[in-house]
Amino acid sequence: MKTKIIVVTGGVYSSLGKGIVASSIGRILKEYGYKISMQKLDPYLNVDPGTLSPYQHGEVFVTKDGAETDLDLGHYERFVDNELSKYSSITSGRIYYEVLNQEREGKFGGKTVQVIPHITQQIQSKIKAIIKNDKPDFLIIEIGGTIGDIESLPFIEALRSFSGIYSRKNILFTHCAPLIKIEVNGEIKTKPTQYSIKNLMNLGIHPDILVLRTSEISSKEIKQKLSWTTDISMDNIFSSVDSKSIYDVPKLLFDQGIHKSIFSYFKITKKGSMGNWNKFLNTIHSEKKHKASIALVGKYTELPDAYLSVIESLKIASYSENVELKLDLINSETIDSTNYINKLKGYDGILVPGGFGERGIEGKILAAKYARENKIPYFGICLGMQVACLEFARNVLKYDDANSTEFNSKTTHKIFDIMDSELSKKLGGTLRLGNIKVDIEKNTLADKIYKSSNVEERHRHRYCFGKQYVNDFANNGFIVSGTSADGEIIEIMEMKDHPFFIGVQYHPEFQSRPLKPNPIFKLFIAKSKK
Ligand code: GLN
């Protein structure tokens, strides 16, 4: 079958959860046995999200091939259980950058370079490229931003004209918009919703499906009114109501029959159910036997989206371990040697996630110290592994000035140093990114976790453990249990004589899925549960 495209747009305001709607449609179609690919078109001008502060757009999600992307790709991967790639994340910045480079190289032969057709064709080439690369049955494209924004116009125009080339019957437009409720009298107003659809129609696209963001399933009257004013059939209007968990949304839309509208549009007849997903939902909503309180010690704690995949991985592991999770985000800048015991007392597990830069480092080191000394389960991810090693070097090995050259380039004990120039050159001077194989040492905690001699995990780091310290650490009970295949890069460190103390140089949170929780998160929660 020719790849069918489902485009998801948003109206009225942002943060509507259209990423969740796009992911949910992906999940439903996956349950029907289809091969799904997802693509995010972001209107901002950064060439990629790699250098964006987590305060701007939340976490940077890394794909298997090392692309640094928008956090929505994390939702896509978790819902659809697919590994995406650089083809899935496109920004306006990248499109303009590529077109302008072609202009400088003289590829336009002196022609005037314009938004239409040059920018729009470049956008269309990205859609063709992902179809060619992934060969999905369905490609779901989410357009970032809100209809009416200046920035997203080229994307809308590119899709409008693409529907002529690719055939309108192979592209389904889904528009998400809120229903506004007047707080004082509870009255629901459809006008802003209508305007956003008319706005889209002014741009040449008449949406086929409407998903309303509401607090309750919309009444027939409201659907009728919207249908009359926008010509979207009532059968194609759905409600994405506020729900306890984002993972409820696929079932919610399925129960209203969104798949029937999609199949009828594309003239597909297929049987299926939401069996697998429903089993997962049962684990979310069942009464939990155990409890665990986890402290996530980081520095972007005001914006939990900065740790989105870590938080989702902890939740997913808790569901599968029958645990009611109490998660506190603690700002490591508020932790010092006078208060760390008080701040961390009572937690069943401590997790220090990834990060860049010196701010908040000392508080994270104290969190690792507390976990080591009090035999509290500790899980260090990337920077979280690095601080655990610095703590050990300073307080156990007594290298007082132990540091990473990221924070102090002059220290005599460079426990972590920028990766050697050969390797750095091979990587093009950037970070070590994407899926890389890790060899696991037999008879270790890592071996117990992965039950395999090697595993592929996602990476995003520049500093590496200094191999000259491996013996010092091991002789004192902090051992290497995972390395890169060539043995050059230390990937996993774990503490002997401790119930669970492990640090990994990679990001297992990028590969934890509702139906396949990452085993490190699972054991961390299992060891932390009461
Ligand atoms: N800043 C550290 C490095 O570059 C850790 C990176 C991370 O936690 N992702 O190695």
Side-chain angles (χ1 to χ4, degrees):
M1 139 173 139
K2 181 170 181 172
T3 298
K4 306 291 180 212
I5 299 176
I6 300 176
V7 179
V8 180
T9 53
V12 186
Y13 52 72
S14 60
S15 304
L16 279 175
K18 68 178 152 40
I20 300 298
V21 169
S23 306
S24 297
I25 293 174
R27 180 72 230 174
I28 294 169
L29 295 170
K30 170 98 177 199
E31 293 274 319
Y32 272 74
Y34 287 113
K35 186 170 179 214
I36 312 299
S37 196
M38 313 267 309
Q39 190 174 45
K40 176 87 191 274
L41 304 179
D42 266 313
Y44 51 78
L45 288 176
N46 303 66
V47 174
D48 65 46
T51 50
L52 277 173
S53 153
Y55 283 126
Q56 295 281 306
H57 283 261
E59 94 183 348
V60 171
F61 186 82
V62 180
T63 56
K64 63 177 176 188
D65 56 343
E68 297 176 283
T69 72
D70 188 85
L71 57 71
D72 267 316
L73 266 77
H75 285 311
Y76 300 165
E77 287 209 0
R78 283 186 287 276
F79 275 73
V80 179
D81 190 11
N82 259 7
E83 288 200 285
L84 300 171
S85 70
K86 61 172 194 248
Y87 293 101
S88 290
S89 174
I90 310 294
T91 66
S92 289
R94 154 112 12 233
I95 298 287
Y96 277 91
Y97 184 73
E98 290 178 0
V99 169
L100 293 176
N101 276 331
Q102 289 167 32
E103 189 271 338
R104 291 290 86 184
E105 289 159 14
K107 297 240 169 86
F108 295 108
K111 286 206 191 93
T112 311
V113 180
Q114 293 180 290
V115 173
I116 303 171
H118 301 103
I119 294 295
T120 48
Q121 282 175 357
Q122 189 68 10
I123 295 168
Q124 290 169 359
S125 76
K126 299 293 176 190
I127 300 170
K128 290 181 197 153
I130 192 171
I131 291 176
K132 190 166 171 221
N133 188 67
D134 294 2
K135 299 178 189 66
D137 298 318
F138 286 92
L139 168 65
I140 301 170
I141 302 176
E142 181 192 349
I143 301 186
T146 308
I147 294 303
D149 293 348
I150 291 173
E151 291 96 329
S152 56
L153 283 177
F155 287 133
I156 306 292
E157 171 57 20
L159 281 155
R160 186 203 59 75
S161 81
F162 193 62
S163 64
I165 303 162
Y166 198 73
S167 173
R168 182 65 173 86
K169 67 178 193 305
N170 289 319
I171 305 188
L172 179 152
F173 287 91
T174 299
H175 186 62
C176 298
L179 274 178
I180 308 291
K181 194 177 190 172
I182 308 266
E183 278 311 319
V184 278
N185 59 9
E187 200 186 333
I188 289 174
K189 291 291 186 190
T190 62
K191 200 60 57 90
T193 321
Q194 293 177 35
Y195 280 146
S196 83
I197 296 161
K198 286 184 179 160
N199 222 331
L200 193 52
M201 285 158 76
N202 280 340
L203 302 173
I205 291 171
H206 182 229
D208 308 293
I209 287 183
L210 175 63
V211 177
L212 299 167
R213 271 299 283 120
T214 62
S215 48
E216 59 220 63
I217 299 265
S218 305
S219 65
K220 235 174 141 180
E221 290 69 36
I222 286 184
K223 285 190 189 179
Q224 184 63 264
K225 202 173 192 178
L226 282 164
S227 182
W228 277 330
T229 49
T230 65
D231 281 345
I232 299 173
S233 143
M234 268 177 79
D235 296 341
N236 291 342
I237 302 180
F238 303 94
S239 311
S240 173
V241 298
D242 303 337
S243 40
K244 251 178 137 172
S245 161
I246 52 172
Y247 301 113
D248 288 327
V249 180
K251 181 173 187 308
L252 212 102
L253 293 175
F254 177 84
D255 288 348
Q256 296 169 63
I258 199 167
H259 56 296
K260 290 182 192 153
S261 292
I262 295 172
F263 291 158
S264 134
Y265 183 87
F266 291 123
K267 304 200 174 11
I268 292 173
T269 40
K270 181 133 176 155
K271 288 215 162 29
S273 75
M274 290 290 283
N276 296 324
W277 198 253
N278 286 345
K279 266 187 237 151
F280 166 62
L281 290 185
N282 287 341
T283 68
I284 297 185
H285 298 298
S286 65
E287 186 85 29
K288 302 289 178 292
K289 275 213 186 85
H290 314 278
K291 285 189 173 163
S293 64
I294 303 291
L296 187 159
V297 181
K299 69 174 172 182
Y300 306 112
T301 45
E302 297 91 331
L303 185 75
D305 268 1
Y307 300 115
L308 184 65
S309 290
V310 173
I311 295 173
E312 290 308 311
S313 299
L314 286 169
K315 286 186 194 163
I316 289 168
S318 301
Y319 303 144
S320 85
E321 288 296 321
N322 208 343
V323 166
E324 187 188 318
L325 174 70
K326 181 180 168 290
L327 179 64
D328 288 335
L329 271 55
I330 300 180
N331 185 345
S332 60
E333 286 175 286
T334 65
I335 298 179
D336 61 37
S337 56
T338 65
N339 66 12
Y340 75 103
I341 297 175
N342 267 339
K343 287 226 174 213
L344 297 169
K345 200 167 55 187
Y347 285 104
D348 305 314
I350 294 175
L351 187 153
V352 177
F356 291 82
E358 195 186 2
R359 190 163 59 84
I361 286 297
E362 296 304 320
K364 292 179 188 176
I365 291 179
L366 286 164
K369 175 177 157 75
Y370 181 81
R372 178 179 58 80
E373 289 179 342
N374 296 284
K375 302 235 187 295
I376 307 291
Y378 178 88
F379 183 11
I381 296 179
C382 210
L383 183 65
M385 162 193 172
Q386 301 182 357
V387 294
C389 294
L390 297 184
E391 188 280 318
F392 193 82
R394 289 183 193 177
N395 299 323
V396 178
L397 306 179
K398 304 290 177 207
Y399 300 148
D400 292 343
D401 68 341
N403 220 327
S404 163
T405 54
E406 182 177 6
F407 317 126
N408 177 2
S409 56
K410 298 205 173 71
T411 182
T412 43
H413 292 97
K414 298 181 167 83
I415 309 293
F416 282 84
D417 202 355
I418 195 127
M419 65 186 76
D420 78 56
S421 54
E422 274 299 286
L423 179 59
S424 179
K425 238 188 275 154
K426 224 168 74 191
L427 297 169
T430 66
L431 298 155
R432 188 165 170 259
L433 285 165
N435 282 16
I436 301 172
K437 217 180 244 169
V438 175
D439 281 351
I440 308 288
E441 221 35 71
K442 276 254 154 301
N443 302 319
T444 58
L445 176 61
D447 182 27
K448 190 173 157 201
I449 289 169
Y450 285 111
K451 299 180 183 67
S452 168
S453 59
N454 65 67
V455 55
E456 224 173 69
E457 288 277 14
R458 297 226 182 127
H459 292 69
R460 186 178 185 233
H461 71 114
R462 185 175 282 129
Y463 293 83
C464 301
F465 186 87
K467 279 179 74 185
Q468 66 276 26
Y469 292 108
V470 166
N471 288 338
D472 266 5
F473 272 66
N475 293 339
N476 289 279
F478 202 11
I479 63 162
V480 173
S481 56
T483 65
S484 57
D486 61 6
E488 285 305 310
I489 290 175
I490 307 303
E491 294 272 14
I492 312 176
M493 297 284 297
E494 61 183 60
M495 194 98 43
K496 285 160 99 178
D497 197 25
H498 190 291
F500 186 96
F501 193 109
I502 193 161
V504 296
Q505 193 56 82
Y506 48 83
H507 291 269
E509 72 271 25
F510 293 146
Q511 293 208 90
S512 202
R513 309 285 168 74
L515 304 176
K516 259 188 256 151
N518 188 291
I520 300 203
F521 278 92
K522 242 174 104 69
L523 196 62
F524 173 59
I525 292 293
K527 290 285 181 184
S528 303
K529 74 186 177 190
K530 288 204 193 103

